[in-house]
Amino acid sequence: MNKDTVDPFFKDTVLGHPAGLFVLFFTEMWERFSYYGMRALLVLFLTSSIAKGGWAWSVEEAMGLYGSYTMTVYFTPVIGGFIADRYLGYRWAVILGAIIMTCGHAAMAVETPFFLYVGIGCLIVGNGLFKPNMTSIISNAYESHPEKKDGAYSLFYMGVNAGAFLGIMLCGYIGEKISWSWGFGLAGIFMFFGMLQFYYTQNIFGTIGLKPTAASKQASKDKASKENVPGYIIRDRIIAVLIFSVFTIFFWAAFEQAGGSMTIFAEKFTQRELFGSSASIFKITDAVLTIGPLLIITYVLLKLFSKTIKEFTAGNLILSLSFIIIWGIVLWKVGREYYATETEVPATWFGILNSLFIVVFAPFFSKWWESKYNISGPMKFGLGLALLGLGFGFLAYGSIGINTDSVVRVSMFWLIAAYLLHTLGELCISPVGLSYVSKLVPATWIGIMFGVYYLFIGMGNKLAGSMGGMIESITAQYSLTTFFLIFTVVPIGAGILMLILSPLMKKLMHGVK
């Protein structure tokens, strides 16, 4: 009998993939809503003046905390993956992680130093349980369908960025325009909704992700032994994973400037005050950009409802409630901005461009990876790094002549172009990297190796914070263009190196495509 007829995960399909993938899609969407919503506010809140409700930290101090936080949230998945593999199972690890992160966001909303660090601590621990085990569920679900993994991870990544889009847009807007506390608190509310939706719909995964038992552990060992993959091939493939992981450091060290130096560039050096027809055009554009993607995501939601509403009523009702609230906040925001007498683009607004472009382009990349024009993993990594560097090239050119004493504010075009190229680069690396880890690593090591992969991403995030904190000193000594040129040259150089290593990588992968 065909697996699709017996596996509950593949019983019903939405947009060509199992309905269960979209349960994960929406769970991850709300988690990313909370993560990126908080991330959009953190540096701005810490560096804003006391008069504006901030804490007046220096950029270097704020970026130091930002880098340490974004690094550590990628370190704890090693432990979370191990705990899930050995004790909790993927599902309960996800649920427990979501609860802890909800508490973390609630603590940050208090806005005192003690609760800030308590909140960040909870987010780090919760993320360690949540993040690797969501991807592990997908890996296990698509185990018999490896040819569809790249497409599945790309669609899943669309959910990641749908959440990031909504989180940055709404938490960022409310934090900057209304209250930092409300911005931080909103992130926690939707994290809680995501947890409830997952909890009440988890049976759609069949036996995938359940708490491991002695029998299931033995079955996994038996399964691994039946794979008949020679030991030297396993060691070679793990080496390939480690090489991919090293190159992700270069990518994330540059890409994560979005939450730091690029936000500072938007706040201090980008023309954000609009008047007359420009203000009207922006209001219309912002309304379209706000409502359009939400319509697309709502369409996906309705498609999921048509397949799962009868069997998983509670989970669907919770998901419906969360979207009703989101639509209410979005319409309030659009109406408030439409009737505003002054128009100033929030510095956090530019962060939504990455997520917007992901939502738009992810389906095309998913189809590309499943077509006859698909390219190898190393070539995808090389292309992604080159596109990332090119995006910083636009910022380097746009910031010519700017130093620490400049009062010059440049066109928004340079940031928009940079975010577009960064997004295209991200689609070549981030979801593809997850897919290759799942295909190259033995089944019994999946959770731990996802954690190891996230370790390297964490290193890149820490470098992003450390290097981003040098924006003022490099700009003072040289220029802002020099600062952005560093992030232009290094990723392009790394991309070229990956292309050179492509033949070696293919050998190490031993037929995995």
Short mmCIF file of all heavy atoms in Angstrom, two decimals, residues 6 18 48 71 420:
data_model
loop_
_atom_site.label_atom_id
_atom_site.label_comp_id
_atom_site.label_asym_id
_atom_site.label_seq_id
_atom_site.Cartn_x
_atom_site.Cartn_y
_atom_site.Cartn_z
N VAL A 6 -1.77 5.57 4.08
CA VAL A 6 -1.78 5.08 5.45
C VAL A 6 -1.23 6.09 6.45
O VAL A 6 -1.49 5.98 7.64
CB VAL A 6 -1.00 3.75 5.56
CG1 VAL A 6 -1.64 2.69 4.70
CG2 VAL A 6 0.46 3.93 5.15
N PRO A 18 1.01 18.15 2.49
CA PRO A 18 0.09 17.68 3.53
C PRO A 18 -0.44 18.83 4.39
O PRO A 18 0.27 19.79 4.67
CB PRO A 18 0.97 16.75 4.38
CG PRO A 18 2.06 16.31 3.45
CD PRO A 18 2.32 17.47 2.55
N SER A 48 16.97 54.36 22.68
CA SER A 48 16.14 55.57 22.68
C SER A 48 16.37 56.37 23.96
O SER A 48 16.71 55.82 25.00
CB SER A 48 14.66 55.21 22.54
OG SER A 48 14.39 54.68 21.27
N MET A 71 22.75 35.06 19.66
CA MET A 71 23.66 33.92 19.64
C MET A 71 23.12 32.79 20.51
O MET A 71 23.03 31.63 20.07
CB MET A 71 25.04 34.33 20.15
CG MET A 71 26.00 33.15 20.36
SD MET A 71 27.56 33.61 21.14
CE MET A 71 27.00 34.02 22.81
N LEU A 420 15.68 43.55 -0.58
CA LEU A 420 15.27 42.65 -1.65
C LEU A 420 16.36 41.63 -1.96
O LEU A 420 16.11 40.41 -2.02
CB LEU A 420 14.93 43.45 -2.91
CG LEU A 420 14.66 42.62 -4.18
CD1 LEU A 420 13.47 41.69 -3.97
CD2 LEU A 420 14.41 43.54 -5.38
#
